[in-house]
Structures are given as structure tokens and as C-alpha cells.
Amino acid sequence: MAFDIEMIKKVYANFGPRIEAARKVVGRPLTLSEKILYTHLWEQNTDKAFVRGADYVDFAPDRVAMQDATAQMALLQFMQAGRPKVAVPSTVHCDHLITAKDGAEFDLPAANTESKEVFDFLASVSNKYGIGFWKPGAGIIHQVVLENYAFPGGLMIGTDSHTVNAGGLGMIAIGVGGADACDVMAGLPWELKFPKLVGVKLTGKLSGWTAPKDVILKVAGILTVKGGTGAIIEYFGEGAENLSCTGKGTICNMGAEVGATTSTFGYDESMERYLRATNRADIADAANAIKEHLTGDPEVYANPEQYFDQLIEINLSELEPYLNGPFTPDLATPISKMKEVAAENGWPMKIDVGLIGSCTNSSYEDISRAVSVAKQVEEKGLVTAAQYCINPGSEQIRYTVERDGFLDTFKNIGAKIFTNACGPCIGMWDRVGSEKQEKNTIVHSFNRNFAKRADGNPNTFAFVGSPELVTAMAIAGDLGFNPLTDTLTNDKGEQVMLDAPSGFELPIRGFAVEDAGYQEPAADGSHVQVAVSPTSHRLQLLDPFAAWEGTNLTGLKLLIKAKGKCTTDHISMAGPWLKFRGHLDNISNNMLIGAVNNFNDKTDTVKNQLTGEYGPVPATARAYKAQGIGSVVVGDENYGEGSSREHAAMEPRHLGVRAVLVKSFARIHETNLKKQGMLALTFVNKEDYDKIHEDDVIDIVGLTSFTPEVPLTVVLNHADGSKDEIAVNHSYNAQQIEWFKAGGALNIIRRQVGA
């Protein structure tokens, strides 16, 4: 039986009446996305049709999911809220703090030793507050959620940008910062600007080497890394129904790479099959009873151009395999063009490593299709040219594929089986030789390929593809290899071609597992102690941030003017820094060390206006803070792109940054800044970015009458005595302005419960 089945039945019982009420309010047929959003309004009896991309709306999510790196700060904040138990079903998944190096049999025990106090903290705080806990090795959060918690028509938030993976089971699942999760766990509404809608009509059927991954790789090439910002991508059409449930999950997962709020598919037979295969027949039966409500209205899909803000059409029968990269997930190249494009750009042709798995592509189907390629190495007398590594998605997947002989096939071609965890996908890869920073190429089935992302080497050219294509490329060891047309030389000197992959949507013998890794929380956690050592370098209890002084902010120093792409990886790197995710002061030593300073084109080297000397960004911020001086960060387009990590907002707040002024924000990061009581500002005229000088002292004027939709003024006091006044926009509504005044949203929660 499913987890939280009574909650799901309650959601379904209200679904039909609420959708009918929403249709009357909106006055037209509804998309699936609109159905789920309107059925999850905090105030159910609304008579307002919300304006996409404009109206802020309060929602009531059904559940919260957290991974171990972000859960630390989310739960440290929740502990401050004064609540005895979480208000909605919530889970913690330990998947980020496990370094991939020597294989699961060595790496998991090492992680359990190195991060013991963090895992113990998460287990105890989960036990105390009624949170389901998944132990290290249980699996990657998004795969475990798909297998156990996702359900059609549900609304979920998660403290990881790839929470959107659950759209493969027909959810609206959205990545958020820990402060948002804290609000929902504390019983408060969750706020989101009502999203725009991008429709993707899929026709035809995949065949041969083409996989679900290629759908989103093509979409990424169309929309780019910011083209989906503020929008939900809704997939539909006969092509959508021809995809497996886990294939749909792959497509939704990488929607985060185009900035989409989330992605989703309507409920269909593939989802029903997956629910029954994962021991959730009760959900399948309940969903079948209201299935007409769990997809868009027929009129919508018949005339999609009338109902979506943007429409994309893809014929799966004509779709070609893609490899996207390097250094950005939206640089889409069909495999037939890769040899030519790689040569033109001087990309290293020799592939050193192929990696499959991750939260994006670690299903049974993914691994079975990859193994159908891997077994041809022995059958056709070939040798695997590159290293080959695998991160299974969950213990259930790992156990099942081992039972079915797949892992033996992989090991026969020299594969290294890492722990059921994120590993290289989020920079937790202790790759031998990466410190030499040599130019090299890797191919993987992950979702992100930013510089330094996988192994810390800025010269690793990473390309994203499907698991089966990655397997073929690793066997060939050549970035220019096209398995659809090219041959390989076997041990007899013969030219042989790899056969197209084949696989199984679901295991014929069913899923199996001995210990899935789940720990159920105590029914009454009032006597459970959550111990955090005051001398710990991994965990630190939080102190509330100070409230706004009630005046305009004057005399602020420019900390850094970041140039070009500045993702959350640049603002707060992952990799080895993950160990400090529960210790705000320690992790703040990585603040903006990856951002490029516009004035010298260097990273982690900015001018200290107090001394005139250049030094690291965190140390410079600390110097200003020690003198009681606030600072300002200036950025370029789509600032804060990438992960949901709220540390990218909390670290600047902790080190005295009062405002972040940019050309444009990524959605989650802008919200995270607001939650922490900071000013998230955008240039009215983007050219004003050029007016900011290295020695500027900055005033922010208009705060004493801070009002929604009314711009503020920034005064740039230049070192030569001149000044520029520029207008800056903000997207704060009345509630968010109260967050700013209180010094952060959490301060308001604490005030409400009298803690």
C-alpha cells in the first residue's frame, strides 16, 4: 500500500468539485497544470481567475521532500519555528553527501563515517518532527520519490531543483529553497507567482537509438537555459502516451535546465502500470476513478494554441539522438552533427569517462537499455575505450538490476558501480587526476554540465546524453562516433556496428529489495533529543537575522560586479563544500568564489575599499561586516540559475550583503533572497549595469515607502565625487515586503507561534 494513502484519497475526493468551480471562474476549459494549481489553492473558495505571470497565489502543497544537503538548513530553520510536528507529510533523503571514488562497497562506509554527525542529526530531527527518513544508500531523492510518494494530480515542493522529476507521474512538483519548505512544514501557505504555460505536443513514437532524454535535450536547445522561466511545461499528445512513466520523469527532470517552474504529463496507462509495479495499486485505482480530471480538458489539446502561452511540437518518430554541451545543458547538437561541430570548436575528441545514472536517468528501463548496448562488447569482440561508471537511482533499482544480471554485464566491461546516490552529478566525484586540470571530455546521462560541475576541473568538457548513447560513446571512446552509422573495429579486425538498444519498461519479474533504507518516525517525538554540538564544524544552530532598520540603506560598498553566467554553483559551490551545508558561517567561506569579477576577469579577487587591496570575496565581505558596513552584489542575466540551494541567499545575508542588483533573476534564487530579508533588485535599464564602478559607495532610496510595483532608486557615489542615480525594479508583493521589514520570513513565523 502507498504512503499517505488517506491524504491522497482526500485530495481526489475534492478534485472534481474544485475543478468544476475553477472552470466557472476561469470561464473556459483547463489545462492539466491549471487543474492541479486551482485544486490546491490555500483559499479554496476563490472567485478570481489568476493572471499568468502576474498574480502571486497562495497554495497548499500535499507534501515536502528534502535531500540531505539542503535539509540541514531547512530543518535548522524549522526548529526555530516552534512547531511540534510537520504539518504535511515530509521526507528527508540522504543522497548528496556521498563521494563517488572507489565504488559503493568503499564509498558508502566512508560517507557514513565522514558525515556521521550530519546523518545522525537528520535522522533524529526527522524522528522528532514526524518526518520520513531515507538512510544513506537508500537512493537518490527524486527516484525514491517517484517510486514511493509521487501521485497523479498532487502538488509537492522539494528542496532541490530537480524535484520536478515527479512530473513523470502527473504531479506539479516544484523545487524551492529551504525557507519555503520550512513554511509549508510549519503549516503556512506556499506562495508562487501563477506560472505561464508552455505546451509541448508530442506526436509519433521513439525508436532505435532515440530515447526520452532526447526530447528534453531538443527542448533545451529550443528554449535555452532561461526560456522556461516562470512557466510550467505541459506535455501532451499521442507521443506523450507512447512514453514510459520513468521516461516522462527524465523529461520533466531536465525541465529545470530551461528554468521551468516544473513540467508535467497527464495521467495515462504508463503511469498506471508504474504505480502497480511499485506496489501502489491503491493509488492507481483511486486515480482511475477520476482520470478525466487528471489530464487537460479535450478542448485544450485539440486547440492548444488557444490555451498555452507558447507551443512547441516534436515528432518523436523523426527525433534524432542529441548530445548537449559542453559547459551548458542547452547547447544541443544532433549526434549526426557532433563530429563536425566538435572539430569546428576544437573540443577534445577522446572520451575519457562515460557515466550513467543520476536522478535523471536511473530507472530500470534506462539501465536495461544501457545494458543491451554494454553486452555487445563481449558479443562482438570489442573493448570499452573509456572508463565507465554507474550511479543506480535507488536500492530497489540496484537490487533488481543485480538480480537480473545487469550489474554483472556492466562489470564485465570494466564498469565501476557507485553508491545509490548523486555522486558526480552534483560534484561529489573524487576523480583521480582532476586536480591537474587537464583538458578532457566526458559524456554522462546527468542533467547539468556547467564548468567544474562534475569533478572540479574547469577543463572537463561534459556532454549530456541518454544512458544508451553514453554507453555507446564510452565503448567507442570518440566524441565523433555516431552509433547509427559508424562502425568499430573488433578483436578480429572486423568492422562491426552496435545494434540499437532495447530494454524493458518495467522488470518482468517485478521489483525486489531486501532493505529499501526507510526509517519511520516516532509517533510521538516530544521526547526525542536533537543534539547539535556547539563545537561542530558541520552543524550550527541558527540565530535570527536582524530586522530592517526602518531607513534607507546608505553607505553600502560594492562587493562584486559579477560578469556573465553566475549560477548558484558560482555563488555557493557544491562538491567539497557540501559538508558545511549545516554550518552557515563555515560554508559562507565559499560565497561567490566562482563568480567572475567584471573589473579584472578573475574569480575570488575583489577590491577591498577599506584597504585598497585585492582579496577573496568572503574575506572582503567579512571585513565590511566587521566595520558595520553593508555591501551590494551586482550581477548579469539570469543570476542564480541552477540549483535551488538557499545557501546562495543565506551566505550573502550572513556576511552583510543587503541587496543583489542584477539584469534578471532565476526564479528560485530571487525567492530565496526575499525569504532571507534581502533586497532582490533588477535594473530598469540594463545598460545601467555599465555605470557601476569598482569603488562605488551605494545608497538605496525609497525603502521608507517600499510599495509593490513602485521602483526604488539606487544612487552610485563614485570615487571621483560624481554620482549616478538609477531606477531599479523589484517584484515584492505586500507579504514579501513584510519579510524584508522583519529581517526574513522565518522571523514572521516565529512571531506568529509566539516562539
Side-chain angles (χ1 to χ4, degrees), residues 506-524:
L506 296 163
I508 294 173
R509 297 163 57 194
F511 286 108
V513 68
E514 286 186 351
D515 178 8
Y518 176 68
Q519 173 185 296
E520 187 173 0
D524 178 6

Side-chain angles (χ1 to χ4, degrees), residues 72-73 117 533-542 572-573 576-591 593 618 622 647 650-651 654-655:
Q72 295 172 61
M73 198 57 69
E117 66 173 316
S533 169
T535 60
S536 172
H537 72 291
R538 298 287 300 272
L539 296 164
Q540 179 188 46
L541 295 176
L542 295 175
S572 176
M573 287 184 178
W577 291 95
L578 284 175
K579 67 171 66 76
F580 299 122
R581 282 287 179 88
H583 198 296
L584 181 56
D585 193 58
N586 283 347
I587 199 171
S588 293
N589 290 321
N590 78 357
M591 186 190 72
I593 63 176
R622 289 183 188 276
H647 298 77
M650 295 187 76
E651 293 172 31
H654 177 63
L655 294 187

Side-chain angles (χ1 to χ4, degrees), residues 360-381:
T360 319
N361 277 108
S362 56
S363 69
Y364 187 88
E365 181 180 42
D366 289 329
I367 293 178
S368 70
R369 284 176 62 85
V371 86
S372 75
V373 179
K375 71 179 183 180
Q376 296 178 54
V377 172
E378 182 177 354
E379 292 172 351
K380 297 182 184 245

Side-chain angles (χ1 to χ4, degrees), residues 109 115 280 362 556:
S115 296
R280 290 177 288 173
S362 56
L556 307 175

Side-chain angles (χ1 to χ4, degrees), residues 232-294:
I232 292 176
I233 302 176
E234 184 171 321
Y235 293 85
F236 62 94
E238 59 163 343
E241 295 178 7
N242 289 331
L243 296 168
S244 67
C245 176
T246 52
K248 292 178 172 74
T250 292
I251 293 168
C252 292
N253 182 294
M254 266 197 75
E257 272 49 75
V258 298
T261 301
T262 192
S263 306
T264 195
F265 286 79
Y267 178 67
D268 61 16
E269 292 180 1
S270 73
M271 295 185 192
E272 179 183 355
R273 290 193 296 270
Y274 187 74
L275 285 168
R276 295 190 188 282
T278 51
N279 297 314
R280 290 177 288 173
D282 41 0
I283 297 180
D285 293 340
N288 285 344
I290 62 161
K291 61 183 177 183
E292 72 273 16
H293 299 313
L294 297 175

Side-chain angles (χ1 to χ4, degrees), residues 522-584:
D524 178 6
S526 59
H527 301 295
V528 176
Q529 295 296 314
V530 179
V532 176
S533 169
T535 60
S536 172
H537 72 291
R538 298 287 300 272
L539 296 164
Q540 179 188 46
L541 295 176
L542 295 175
D543 292 320
F545 288 128
W548 173 55
E549 303 89 331
T551 62
N552 291 325
L553 300 180
T554 60
L556 307 175
K557 302 291 188 184
L558 175 67
L559 179 61
I560 186 173
K561 180 179 174 180
K563 177 181 178 181
K565 188 184 282 283
C566 192
T567 72
T568 50
D569 275 343
H570 296 92
I571 305 168
S572 176
M573 287 184 178
W577 291 95
L578 284 175
K579 67 171 66 76
F580 299 122
R581 282 287 179 88
H583 198 296
L584 181 56

Side-chain angles (χ1 to χ4, degrees), residues 690-705:
D690 298 323
K691 294 180 179 178
I692 294 172
H693 301 168
E694 190 171 29
D695 291 310
D696 279 353
V697 176
I698 298 170
D699 303 331
I700 301 175
V701 180
L703 292 174
T704 53
S705 56

